Amino acid sequence: MSGPGFFDIPSDLQNSYLGLVGLHVEEALIPVAIGLAVALPLGQLCVRFSWLYPPVLWITTVLYAIPSLAFFIFLIDYTGATRTTVMIPLTVYSLVLLVPAFVDGVRSVPQETLSAAKAMGFGPVQRYLKVQLPIAVPAIIAGLRVAVASSISLVSIGALIGNQGALGNLLQDAILYHRSNLALNSVLTTAVLAVLLDIALVLLRMALTPWMPRSGRAARRAARDAAVEPAGRAALEDASV
Amino acid sequence: MIQIESVTKRYPDGTTAVDDLSLDIPDGSITVLVGPSGCGKTTTLRMVNRMVEPTSGRILLDGSDITEQPVNALRRSMGYVIQNAGLFQHRTIVDNIATVPRMLGWDRRKARERARELMGRVGLDEALAKRYPYQLSGGQQQRVGVARALAADPPVLLMDEPFSAVDPIVRKSLQAELLRIQQELGKTIVFVTHDIDEAIRIGDMIAVMRTGGRLAQFAPPQELLSSPADEFVEDFLGTDRGIRRLSFFTSDGLALERGPVVAVDAGAEQVARATAAGAPYLLLTDADGKPLGWVAPQDAAGGADKVAVGSLLPYGRPFAAGRESLRDALDCAVLSPTGWAVAVDEQGAVAGVVSQEAIGAAIRSAHAGQREDGPAVPVRTTKAEVAT
Ligand SMILES: Nc1ncnc2c1ncn2[C@@H]1O[C@H](COP(=O)(O)OP(=O)(O)O)[C@@H](O)[C@H]1O
Ligand SMILES: [Mg+2]
């Protein structure tokens, strides 16, 4: 006789395996999405008024230092033992990661590129949308990768406040039902999710930034091609005075 | 015409970058602002497209104050080229160039067509159209920068040290290209550089600025070289301005000698006649009249066909008769092992040879001619020659 299988979820969780996966992804990604939506304007303000950046950075770092459990205990009085209570701290953590990512990304736009845009008659809004934002994409996605990975792993802690931890709840059930395969399932699935989402973000970045040097080899090929300057040679022969 | 009228710029920190500057920038020619680093060149240029607003004074474009039109319309009527090109790294070359036409509402196809046409004009292979800036060399990027500035065919081009970041060889070819394009398009170009050689090479008019943002001298290059306004300008021009000034005299007036030139198949009799011309060496040419090298008359006495080509003295770099300047002719003569310069025609065939003494005489008479009727040689012709 064999016990319950690897993917058999105890009925107290009221979810199938895939249901838990969906729930986990949702609880992890909604906070990242909200964090991004707030980070973009907040980051832009920090770029625009550079005096704002240090205090914002300071506050967000302090918030980041608060353990999620402390957050839960504090919030539970207001939002109860709900998903919202789990997602609020995750939103804050995402925000903390994404604001500096955005600010650094925008600041990486070379001054001469901005000057050129201005000189070509781009207004401030066009400069933001058509120059700064696209060039900040790699930095923003780098921030998103960290935010998503940390969010995916932190959702599990929600298990501590009334089974709001999606795949994390399996850990508690593993103890409750003496089923170590549930714990293994929880850890493996979370890890696989994190890896898949990370790959998706890398693919997204590659799709959005065809203008970035791809790999060492591509960059070397580009450099070699660039070294050949066909038209320049001919003109050179005639250049003298 | 761009008229800068008593313009002063003081930055909030108290730096006076430009001090009571007045300058009339003529249409259809290249005006260079040159001076040591920090003398206010960039500030001056940026006041023309209102990236910087003057503290006092005003700037007129074709008679009306530049503040009278919307700032972005003003900027789109002026191409702007800067050091390191400032390309949009996230856009392809063709889309970089098409930026301003797109903003002016051209449809995408027409704008890209225009961009490709401009790539040809600035000497870029059309195969680069779909590349991104990181895939181009510094010189190529700078060409894209020029094409982008020209895209909407603005009457004015503002260029801030556009060629300073590329190596000297590429810089020379970019300068030649700019002169060639200017020959075709006749834009009003304001060009900023800290390099006096570059200023002399490309400027129709040169404004020398001194630290503190004041104008030291405003003159055409040959006048700057012949009569610097003061010690500052003289120092800034460097020690060899006499030699450099020769760039503005054509080699037209040089008396080229054909006597000492013999074809490689010439017999003893022809060699004897060439020797009688009195030159210390004879120049051998091939069947097409192209130079082969120098030989002493006694070594060729038995006929030029008996001379081993390998034993000839090298003829060095020949100069293009009439098209290159006296400076080139003198340079050739100085570098030649025989002290004689070889002049060639457009096909590269020998037009004649000329001694250092004869070049010296031509220089003296050119100077005398200039003293009588002012700057006689039209600079335009000399400059255009450089680029063709
Ligand atoms: N935004 C600014 N704020 C304060 N000082 C400036 C600013 N831009 C330039 N300056 C100063 O003004 C002077 C002229 O600068 P600039 O026009 O850039 O000179 P150049 O282009 O000839 O090197 C320098 O002393 C420079 O330090
Ligand atoms: Mg400057």
Side-chain angles (χ1 to χ4, degrees):
Chain A
M1 109 134 229
S2 64
F6 193 71
F7 292 106
D8 290 336
I9 307 300
S11 60
D12 67 326
L13 296 183
Q14 298 175 345
N15 248 312
S16 65
Y17 173 70
L18 287 178
L20 279 182
V21 169
L23 208 59
H24 198 101
V25 170
E26 223 178 280
E27 268 183 61
L29 293 193
I30 289 174
V32 176
I34 298 173
L36 183 64
V38 179
L40 291 186
L42 186 59
Q44 186 59 22
L45 279 178
C46 291
V47 171
R48 195 70 201 242
F49 309 100
S50 49
W51 55 265
L52 201 59
Y53 189 43
V56 166
L57 204 58
W58 190 80
I59 293 169
T60 52
T61 309
V62 168
L63 286 175
Y64 197 66
I66 301 174
S68 47
L69 197 54
F71 251 118
F72 294 156
I73 292 165
F74 173 76
L75 285 170
I76 218 157
D77 286 346
Y78 302 90
T79 49
T82 61
R83 290 169 60 189
T84 314
T85 306
V86 180
M87 292 199 289
I88 288 174
L90 296 192
T91 304
V92 171
Y93 295 150
S94 297
L95 187 63
V96 172
L97 289 167
L98 291 173
V99 168
F102 176 84
V103 172
D104 292 347
V106 168
R107 283 187 177 169
S108 76
V109 179
Q111 200 50 50
E112 54 241 35
T113 306
L114 287 178
S115 278
K118 197 170 173 187
M120 279 188 288
F122 281 93
V125 177
Q126 280 179 315
R127 278 204 298 278
Y128 175 61
L129 292 178
K130 294 188 171 169
V131 182
Q132 294 179 304
L133 203 53
I135 293 179
V137 159
I140 295 172
I141 291 191
L144 277 176
R145 288 174 66 184
V146 181
V148 166
S150 88
S151 204
I152 287 280
S153 84
L154 286 175
V155 164
S156 300
I157 299 177
L160 298 176
I161 53 160
N163 279 357
Q164 295 301 339
L167 289 166
N169 301 339
L170 294 176
L171 294 171
Q172 284 187 322
D173 277 15
I175 300 167
L176 203 60
Y177 301 112
H178 301 286
R179 275 181 59 188
S180 60
N181 65 351
L182 285 182
L184 192 63
N185 184 331
S186 169
V187 170
L188 281 181
T189 310
T190 315
V192 168
L193 272 184
V195 169
L196 288 179
L197 286 170
D198 195 56
I199 290 173
L201 282 172
V202 170
L203 291 177
L204 178 69
R205 200 217 59 214
M206 283 164 73
L208 289 179
T209 61
W211 47 270
M212 271 182 72
R214 266 295 138 78
S215 62
R217 199 197 304 153
R220 271 197 301 280
R221 181 163 358 106
R224 194 190 54 219
D225 287 359
V228 186
E229 230 180 319
R233 282 283 134 203
L236 174 64
E237 309 290 334
D238 298 314
S240 56
V241 157
Chain B
M1 172 139 105
I2 301 167
Q3 288 160 288
I4 298 175
E5 291 187 344
S6 327
V7 163
T8 295
K9 175 63 191 182
R10 235 180 312 276
Y11 283 108
D13 66 356
T15 314
T16 302
V18 176
D19 190 8
D20 194 25
L21 179 73
S22 293
L23 211 57
D24 283 357
I25 294 167
D27 277 339
S29 59
I30 303 180
T31 300
V32 179
L33 306 180
V34 67
S37 169
C39 71
K41 308 179 292 291
T42 296
T43 302
T44 304
L45 194 73
R46 286 168 151 245
M47 286 193 286
V48 175
N49 68 353
R50 296 186 60 199
M51 307 262 283
V52 172
E53 297 290 353
T55 311
S56 65
R58 58 175 195 161
I59 299 176
L60 306 180
L61 176 64
D62 297 329
S64 48
D65 196 311
I66 55 169
T67 56
E68 277 167 20
Q69 58 171 313
V71 65
N72 285 339
L74 176 81
R75 287 176 185 162
R76 280 169 210 166
S77 74
M78 298 180 169
Y80 188 65
V81 189
I82 47 178
Q83 196 175 341
N84 297 321
L87 299 185
F88 297 137
Q89 62 195 81
H90 60 298
R91 292 192 181 174
T92 57
I93 301 310
V94 62
D95 285 342
N96 259 284
I97 300 173
T99 305
V100 179
R102 291 283 291 147
M103 273 200 290
L104 293 172
W106 298 26
D107 72 63
R108 188 184 294 269
R109 237 205 32 224
K110 191 172 154 221
R112 286 195 172 154
E113 230 164 70
R114 167 78 179 152
R116 283 172 189 274
E117 174 198 324
L118 276 164
M119 288 184 73
R121 177 150 265 159
V122 299
L124 281 171
D125 193 335
E126 265 203 44
L128 302 175
K130 290 285 178 208
R131 300 258 185 109
Y132 287 96
Y134 82 93
Q135 295 169 307
L136 267 56
S137 71
Q140 287 171 328
Q141 291 190 14
Q142 214 56 60
R143 285 169 200 270
V144 177
V146 174
R148 185 174 66 173
L150 288 170
D153 205 19
V156 175
L157 218 52
L158 307 177
M159 309 181 84
D160 193 352
E161 311 231 4
F163 309 145
S164 298
V166 295
D167 69 71
I169 292 172
V170 175
R171 188 181 316 149
K172 259 199 164 171
S173 83
L174 288 169
Q175 290 165 345
E177 203 91 345
L178 178 68
L179 289 173
R180 190 183 54 69
I181 293 168
Q182 172 63 355
Q183 181 87 347
E184 290 167 17
L185 302 181
K187 300 286 181 194
T188 303
I189 299 179
V190 190
F191 189 107
V192 162
T193 179
H194 62 263
D195 175 0
I196 185 68
D197 289 318
E198 181 167 69
I200 287 169
R201 202 169 294 136
I202 68 162
D204 296 308
M205 287 296 286
I206 298 178
V208 184
M209 293 177 69
R210 68 169 91 231
T211 314
R214 274 167 302 131
L215 184 66
Q217 187 169 8
F218 187 45
Q222 72 273 44
E223 189 185 320
L224 206 64
L225 289 166
S226 63
S227 28
D230 57 21
E231 217 167 292
F232 169 79
V233 178
E234 198 169 345
D235 280 351
F236 193 70
L237 285 166
T239 47
D240 56 348
R241 67 184 170 88
I243 298 284
R244 279 188 296 179
R245 197 178 153 217
L246 295 179
S247 305
F248 296 96
F249 298 121
T250 77
S251 54
D252 268 340
L254 281 178
L256 300 178
E257 294 183 41
R258 287 216 46 96
V261 181
V262 291
V264 72
D265 56 0
E269 195 182 321
Q270 279 165 291
V271 170
R273 232 180 300 132
T275 308
Y281 289 91
L282 305 178
L283 182 75
L284 255 56
T285 64
D286 67 11
D288 298 327
K290 303 238 165 80
L292 289 172
W294 296 98
V295 63
Q298 61 273 23
D299 295 336
D305 43 356
K306 307 272 189 315
V307 180
V309 173
S311 69
L312 296 174
L313 285 172
Y315 60 89
R317 182 179 85 85
F319 70 97
R323 285 175 300 138
E324 285 189 292
S325 66
L326 278 184
R327 181 180 174 174
D328 295 294
L330 180 63
D331 191 55
C332 296
V334 170
L335 289 177
S336 165
T338 61
W340 286 60
V342 177
V344 292
D345 62 19
E346 268 151 73
Q347 282 72 43
V350 174
V353 293
V354 59
S355 67
Q356 282 176 8
E357 290 72 22
I359 295 171
I363 292 170
R364 280 189 295 280
S365 74
H367 280 181
Q370 194 175 50
R371 267 194 296 280
E372 274 160 29
D373 19 281
V377 184
V379 178
R380 260 270 141 258
T381 329
T382 322
K383 286 190 187 306
E385 234 66 87
V386 177
T388 42

